[in-house]
PDB file of all heavy atoms in Angstrom:
ATOM      1  N   ARG M 134      -5.643  12.049   9.498  1.00 98.00           N
ATOM      2  CA  ARG M 134      -4.303  11.938  10.113  1.00 98.00           C
ATOM      3  C   ARG M 134      -3.221  11.769   9.047  1.00 98.00           C
ATOM      4  O   ARG M 134      -2.194  12.443   9.073  1.00 98.00           O
ATOM      5  CB  ARG M 134      -4.254  10.747  11.066  1.00 98.00           C
ATOM      6  CG  ARG M 134      -4.170  11.155  12.524  1.00 98.00           C
ATOM      7  CD  ARG M 134      -4.017   9.968  13.445  1.00 98.00           C
ATOM      8  NE  ARG M 134      -5.299   9.307  13.688  1.00 98.00           N
ATOM      9  CZ  ARG M 134      -5.554   8.019  13.458  1.00 98.00           C
ATOM     10  NH1 ARG M 134      -4.616   7.220  12.998  1.00 98.00           N
ATOM     11  NH2 ARG M 134      -6.741   7.517  13.710  1.00 98.00           N
ATOM     12  N   VAL M 135      -3.488  10.886   8.087  1.00 98.00           N
ATOM     13  CA  VAL M 135      -2.503  10.629   7.016  1.00 98.00           C
ATOM     14  C   VAL M 135      -2.333  11.886   6.157  1.00 98.00           C
ATOM     15  O   VAL M 135      -1.213  12.275   5.810  1.00 98.00           O
ATOM     16  CB  VAL M 135      -2.941   9.408   6.159  1.00 98.00           C
ATOM     17  CG1 VAL M 135      -2.128   9.296   4.884  1.00 98.00           C
ATOM     18  CG2 VAL M 135      -2.820   8.126   6.973  1.00 98.00           C
ATOM     19  N   MET M 136      -3.457  12.552   5.853  1.00 98.00           N
ATOM     20  CA  MET M 136      -3.398  13.778   5.053  1.00 98.00           C
ATOM     21  C   MET M 136      -2.583  14.849   5.778  1.00 98.00           C
ATOM     22  O   MET M 136      -1.714  15.508   5.178  1.00 98.00           O
ATOM     23  CB  MET M 136      -4.834  14.259   4.772  1.00 98.00           C
ATOM     24  CG  MET M 136      -4.948  15.534   3.966  1.00 98.00           C
ATOM     25  SD  MET M 136      -4.697  17.049   4.916  1.00 98.00           S
ATOM     26  CE  MET M 136      -6.129  17.015   5.979  1.00 98.00           C
ATOM     27  N   MET M 137      -2.842  15.030   7.086  1.00 98.00           N
ATOM     28  CA  MET M 137      -2.138  16.072   7.844  1.00 98.00           C
ATOM     29  C   MET M 137      -0.642  15.766   7.994  1.00 98.00           C
ATOM     30  O   MET M 137       0.179  16.684   8.012  1.00 98.00           O
ATOM     31  CB  MET M 137      -2.783  16.268   9.219  1.00 98.00           C
ATOM     32  CG  MET M 137      -4.074  17.072   9.186  1.00 98.00           C
ATOM     33  SD  MET M 137      -3.945  18.653   8.304  1.00 98.00           S
ATOM     34  CE  MET M 137      -2.916  19.591   9.431  1.00 98.00           C
ATOM     35  N   THR M 138      -0.304  14.479   8.075  1.00 98.00           N
ATOM     36  CA  THR M 138       1.116  14.099   8.150  1.00 98.00           C
ATOM     37  C   THR M 138       1.824  14.523   6.860  1.00 98.00           C
ATOM     38  O   THR M 138       2.909  15.113   6.898  1.00 98.00           O
ATOM     39  CB  THR M 138       1.264  12.576   8.392  1.00 98.00           C
ATOM     40  OG1 THR M 138       0.605  12.252   9.607  1.00 98.00           O
ATOM     41  CG2 THR M 138       2.721  12.173   8.495  1.00 98.00           C
ATOM     42  N   ALA M 139       1.200  14.229   5.715  1.00 98.00           N
ATOM     43  CA  ALA M 139       1.805  14.640   4.430  1.00 98.00           C
ATOM     44  C   ALA M 139       1.848  16.166   4.339  1.00 98.00           C
ATOM     45  O   ALA M 139       2.840  16.748   3.882  1.00 98.00           O
ATOM     46  CB  ALA M 139       1.012  14.056   3.262  1.00 98.00           C
ATOM     47  N   HIS M 140       0.787  16.816   4.772  1.00 98.00           N
ATOM     48  CA  HIS M 140       0.701  18.277   4.720  1.00 98.00           C
ATOM     49  C   HIS M 140       1.845  18.922   5.515  1.00 98.00           C
ATOM     50  O   HIS M 140       2.463  19.890   5.068  1.00 98.00           O
ATOM     51  CB  HIS M 140      -0.654  18.725   5.270  1.00 98.00           C
ATOM     52  CG  HIS M 140      -0.850  20.210   5.306  1.00 98.00           C
ATOM     53  ND1 HIS M 140      -1.017  20.965   4.164  1.00 98.00           N
ATOM     54  CD2 HIS M 140      -0.907  21.062   6.356  1.00 98.00           C
ATOM     55  CE1 HIS M 140      -1.158  22.234   4.510  1.00 98.00           C
ATOM     56  NE2 HIS M 140      -1.096  22.318   5.833  1.00 98.00           N
ATOM     57  N   LYS M 141       2.147  18.343   6.675  1.00 98.00           N
ATOM     58  CA  LYS M 141       3.175  18.934   7.548  1.00 98.00           C
ATOM     59  C   LYS M 141       4.581  18.481   7.208  1.00 98.00           C
ATOM     60  O   LYS M 141       5.534  19.261   7.290  1.00 98.00           O
ATOM     61  CB  LYS M 141       2.896  18.565   9.011  1.00 98.00           C
ATOM     62  CG  LYS M 141       1.684  19.272   9.597  1.00 98.00           C
ATOM     63  CD  LYS M 141       1.500  18.827  11.055  1.00 98.00           C
ATOM     64  CE  LYS M 141       0.231  19.392  11.650  1.00 98.00           C
ATOM     65  NZ  LYS M 141      -0.223  18.581  12.796  1.00 98.00           N
ATOM     66  N   LEU M 142       4.730  17.200   6.858  1.00 98.00           N
ATOM     67  CA  LEU M 142       6.086  16.648   6.672  1.00 98.00           C
ATOM     68  C   LEU M 142       6.484  16.485   5.212  1.00 98.00           C
ATOM     69  O   LEU M 142       7.650  16.210   4.915  1.00 98.00           O
ATOM     70  CB  LEU M 142       6.202  15.285   7.377  1.00 98.00           C
ATOM     71  CG  LEU M 142       5.876  15.240   8.876  1.00 98.00           C
ATOM     72  CD1 LEU M 142       6.037  13.832   9.410  1.00 98.00           C
ATOM     73  CD2 LEU M 142       6.762  16.213   9.648  1.00 98.00           C
ATOM     74  N   GLY M 143       5.503  16.594   4.305  1.00 98.00           N
ATOM     75  CA  GLY M 143       5.816  16.451   2.874  1.00 98.00           C
ATOM     76  C   GLY M 143       5.385  15.118   2.296  1.00 98.00           C
ATOM     77  O   GLY M 143       4.985  15.053   1.132  1.00 98.00           O
ATOM     78  N   VAL M 144       5.477  14.070   3.094  1.00 98.00           N
ATOM     79  CA  VAL M 144       5.022  12.740   2.642  1.00 98.00           C
ATOM     80  C   VAL M 144       4.416  11.985   3.828  1.00 98.00           C
ATOM     81  O   VAL M 144       4.686  12.314   4.985  1.00 98.00           O
ATOM     82  CB  VAL M 144       6.184  11.876   2.067  1.00 98.00           C
ATOM     83  CG1 VAL M 144       6.658  12.380   0.722  1.00 98.00           C
ATOM     84  CG2 VAL M 144       7.335  11.774   3.053  1.00 98.00           C
ATOM     85  N   SER M 145       3.621  10.960   3.490  1.00 98.00           N
ATOM     86  CA  SER M 145       3.052  10.108   4.539  1.00 98.00           C
ATOM     87  C   SER M 145       2.809   8.713   3.959  1.00 98.00           C
ATOM     88  O   SER M 145       2.356   8.596   2.808  1.00 98.00           O
ATOM     89  CB  SER M 145       1.733  10.727   5.014  1.00 98.00           C
ATOM     90  OG  SER M 145       1.130   9.896   5.966  1.00 98.00           O
ATOM     91  N   VAL M 146       3.115   7.693   4.726  1.00 98.00           N
ATOM     92  CA  VAL M 146       2.861   6.320   4.265  1.00 98.00           C
ATOM     93  C   VAL M 146       1.374   6.023   4.447  1.00 98.00           C
ATOM     94  O   VAL M 146       0.820   6.210   5.531  1.00 98.00           O
ATOM     95  CB  VAL M 146       3.706   5.291   5.045  1.00 98.00           C
ATOM     96  CG1 VAL M 146       3.347   3.869   4.629  1.00 98.00           C
ATOM     97  CG2 VAL M 146       5.191   5.551   4.829  1.00 98.00           C
ATOM     98  N   VAL M 147       0.746   5.588   3.367  1.00 98.00           N
ATOM     99  CA  VAL M 147      -0.687   5.287   3.411  1.00 98.00           C
ATOM    100  C   VAL M 147      -0.907   3.824   3.792  1.00 98.00           C
ATOM    101  O   VAL M 147      -1.727   3.505   4.644  1.00 98.00           O
ATOM    102  CB  VAL M 147      -1.344   5.562   2.031  1.00 98.00           C
ATOM    103  CG1 VAL M 147      -2.829   5.261   2.070  1.00 98.00           C
ATOM    104  CG2 VAL M 147      -1.080   6.991   1.590  1.00 98.00           C
ATOM    105  N   VAL M 148      -0.162   2.934   3.133  1.00 98.00           N
ATOM    106  CA  VAL M 148      -0.349   1.503   3.355  1.00 98.00           C
ATOM    107  C   VAL M 148       0.902   0.763   2.885  1.00 98.00           C
ATOM    108  O   VAL M 148       1.667   1.303   2.075  1.00 98.00           O
ATOM    109  CB  VAL M 148      -1.628   1.027   2.596  1.00 98.00           C
ATOM    110  CG1 VAL M 148      -1.439   1.027   1.105  1.00 98.00           C
ATOM    111  CG2 VAL M 148      -2.099  -0.340   3.058  1.00 98.00           C
ATOM    112  N   VAL M 149       1.114  -0.426   3.420  1.00 98.00           N
ATOM    113  CA  VAL M 149       2.217  -1.292   2.977  1.00 98.00           C
ATOM    114  C   VAL M 149       1.588  -2.596   2.490  1.00 98.00           C
ATOM    115  O   VAL M 149       0.800  -3.202   3.216  1.00 98.00           O
ATOM    116  CB  VAL M 149       3.204  -1.578   4.128  1.00 98.00           C
ATOM    117  CG1 VAL M 149       4.283  -2.560   3.687  1.00 98.00           C
ATOM    118  CG2 VAL M 149       3.830  -0.282   4.624  1.00 98.00           C
ATOM    119  N   CYS M 150       1.898  -2.984   1.248  1.00 97.00           N
ATOM    120  CA  CYS M 150       1.280  -4.189   0.690  1.00 97.00           C
ATOM    121  C   CYS M 150       2.126  -4.735  -0.457  1.00 97.00           C
ATOM    122  O   CYS M 150       3.195  -4.189  -0.743  1.00 97.00           O
ATOM    123  CB  CYS M 150      -0.137  -3.875   0.218  1.00 97.00           C
ATOM    124  SG  CYS M 150      -0.237  -2.526  -0.954  1.00 97.00           S
ATOM    125  N   VAL M 151       1.654  -5.784  -1.116  1.00 97.00           N
ATOM    126  CA  VAL M 151       2.417  -6.352  -2.235  1.00 97.00           C
ATOM    127  C   VAL M 151       2.442  -5.365  -3.410  1.00 97.00           C
ATOM    128  O   VAL M 151       1.573  -4.512  -3.532  1.00 97.00           O
ATOM    129  CB  VAL M 151       1.868  -7.727  -2.689  1.00 97.00           C
ATOM    130  CG1 VAL M 151       2.047  -8.767  -1.595  1.00 97.00           C
ATOM    131  CG2 VAL M 151       0.428  -7.641  -3.134  1.00 97.00           C
ATOM    132  N   ARG M 152       3.452  -5.522  -4.244  1.00 97.00           N
ATOM    133  CA  ARG M 152       3.726  -4.545  -5.308  1.00 97.00           C
ATOM    134  C   ARG M 152       2.537  -4.270  -6.230  1.00 97.00           C
ATOM    135  O   ARG M 152       2.203  -3.117  -6.511  1.00 97.00           O
ATOM    136  CB  ARG M 152       4.911  -5.048  -6.140  1.00 97.00           C
ATOM    137  CG  ARG M 152       5.328  -4.072  -7.204  1.00 97.00           C
ATOM    138  CD  ARG M 152       6.518  -4.603  -7.953  1.00 97.00           C
ATOM    139  NE  ARG M 152       7.059  -3.598  -8.832  1.00 97.00           N
ATOM    140  CZ  ARG M 152       8.203  -3.739  -9.465  1.00 97.00           C
ATOM    141  NH1 ARG M 152       8.932  -4.810  -9.310  1.00 97.00           N
ATOM    142  NH2 ARG M 152       8.624  -2.792 -10.275  1.00 97.00           N
ATOM    143  N   ASP M 153       1.902  -5.356  -6.675  1.00 97.00           N
ATOM    144  CA  ASP M 153       0.799  -5.234  -7.615  1.00 97.00           C
ATOM    145  C   ASP M 153      -0.320  -4.359  -7.057  1.00 97.00           C
ATOM    146  O   ASP M 153      -0.815  -3.446  -7.730  1.00 97.00           O
ATOM    147  CB  ASP M 153       0.292  -6.651  -7.933  1.00 97.00           C
ATOM    148  CG  ASP M 153      -0.779  -6.649  -8.988  1.00 97.00           C
ATOM    149  OD1 ASP M 153      -0.638  -5.870  -9.943  1.00 97.00           O
ATOM    150  OD2 ASP M 153      -1.768  -7.395  -8.842  1.00 97.00           O
ATOM    151  N   ILE M 154      -0.705  -4.631  -5.824  1.00 98.00           N
ATOM    152  CA  ILE M 154      -1.782  -3.865  -5.175  1.00 98.00           C
ATOM    153  C   ILE M 154      -1.325  -2.422  -4.948  1.00 98.00           C
ATOM    154  O   ILE M 154      -2.080  -1.477  -5.221  1.00 98.00           O
ATOM    155  CB  ILE M 154      -2.161  -4.483  -3.800  1.00 98.00           C
ATOM    156  CG1 ILE M 154      -2.472  -5.970  -3.919  1.00 98.00           C
ATOM    157  CG2 ILE M 154      -3.298  -3.712  -3.141  1.00 98.00           C
ATOM    158  CD1 ILE M 154      -3.856  -6.335  -4.318  1.00 98.00           C
ATOM    159  N   ALA M 155      -0.088  -2.248  -4.472  1.00 98.00           N
ATOM    160  CA  ALA M 155       0.428  -0.900  -4.190  1.00 98.00           C
ATOM    161  C   ALA M 155       0.397  -0.046  -5.458  1.00 98.00           C
ATOM    162  O   ALA M 155      -0.079   1.099  -5.438  1.00 98.00           O
ATOM    163  CB  ALA M 155       1.851  -0.993  -3.641  1.00 98.00           C
ATOM    164  N   GLU M 156       0.863  -0.598  -6.568  1.00 98.00           N
ATOM    165  CA  GLU M 156       0.920   0.182  -7.820  1.00 98.00           C
ATOM    166  C   GLU M 156      -0.473   0.478  -8.358  1.00 98.00           C
ATOM    167  O   GLU M 156      -0.741   1.571  -8.856  1.00 98.00           O
ATOM    168  CB  GLU M 156       1.773  -0.565  -8.849  1.00 98.00           C
ATOM    169  CG  GLU M 156       3.254  -0.473  -8.493  1.00 98.00           C
ATOM    170  CD  GLU M 156       4.160  -1.270  -9.423  1.00 98.00           C
ATOM    171  OE1 GLU M 156       3.638  -2.043 -10.256  1.00 98.00           O
ATOM    172  OE2 GLU M 156       5.384  -1.116  -9.288  1.00 98.00           O
ATOM    173  N   THR M 157      -1.362  -0.505  -8.256  1.00 98.00           N
ATOM    174  CA  THR M 157      -2.737  -0.305  -8.739  1.00 98.00           C
ATOM    175  C   THR M 157      -3.444   0.785  -7.934  1.00 98.00           C
ATOM    176  O   THR M 157      -4.080   1.690  -8.500  1.00 98.00           O
ATOM    177  CB  THR M 157      -3.539  -1.624  -8.638  1.00 98.00           C
ATOM    178  OG1 THR M 157      -2.861  -2.628  -9.398  1.00 98.00           O
ATOM    179  CG2 THR M 157      -4.941  -1.462  -9.163  1.00 98.00           C
ATOM    180  N   LYS M 158      -3.305   0.719  -6.606  1.00 98.00           N
ATOM    181  CA  LYS M 158      -3.970   1.692  -5.726  1.00 98.00           C
ATOM    182  C   LYS M 158      -3.385   3.094  -5.917  1.00 98.00           C
ATOM    183  O   LYS M 158      -4.129   4.085  -5.951  1.00 98.00           O
ATOM    184  CB  LYS M 158      -3.830   1.274  -4.261  1.00 98.00           C
ATOM    185  CG  LYS M 158      -4.602   0.035  -3.903  1.00 98.00           C
ATOM    186  CD  LYS M 158      -6.044   0.387  -3.646  1.00 98.00           C
ATOM    187  CE  LYS M 158      -6.868  -0.857  -3.355  1.00 98.00           C
ATOM    188  NZ  LYS M 158      -8.295  -0.536  -3.249  1.00 98.00           N
ATOM    189  N   ALA M 159      -2.064   3.176  -6.035  1.00 98.00           N
ATOM    190  CA  ALA M 159      -1.417   4.480  -6.211  1.00 98.00           C
ATOM    191  C   ALA M 159      -1.889   5.121  -7.513  1.00 98.00           C
ATOM    192  O   ALA M 159      -2.177   6.323  -7.561  1.00 98.00           O
ATOM    193  CB  ALA M 159       0.102   4.323  -6.213  1.00 98.00           C
ATOM    194  N   LYS M 160      -2.015   4.313  -8.570  1.00 98.00           N
ATOM    195  CA  LYS M 160      -2.452   4.846  -9.863  1.00 98.00           C
ATOM    196  C   LYS M 160      -3.919   5.270  -9.806  1.00 98.00           C
ATOM    197  O   LYS M 160      -4.287   6.344 -10.290  1.00 98.00           O
ATOM    198  CB  LYS M 160      -2.238   3.807 -10.967  1.00 98.00           C
ATOM    199  CG  LYS M 160      -2.611   4.335 -12.345  1.00 98.00           C
ATOM    200  CD  LYS M 160      -2.227   3.389 -13.441  1.00 98.00           C
ATOM    201  CE  LYS M 160      -2.479   3.937 -14.844  1.00 98.00           C
ATOM    202  NZ  LYS M 160      -3.576   4.852 -15.037  1.00 98.00           N
TER     203      LYS M 160
END
Side-chain angles (χ1 to χ4, degrees):
R134 250 184 280 124
V135 168
M136 179 280 293
M137 283 309 290
T138 301
H140 178 71
K141 289 180 186 157
L142 304 180
V144 288
S145 177
V146 175
V147 180
V148 71
V149 176
C150 55
V151 294
R152 184 178 189 171
D153 185 40
I154 307 275
E156 286 176 351
T157 302
K158 291 278 177 186
K160 183 172 185 329

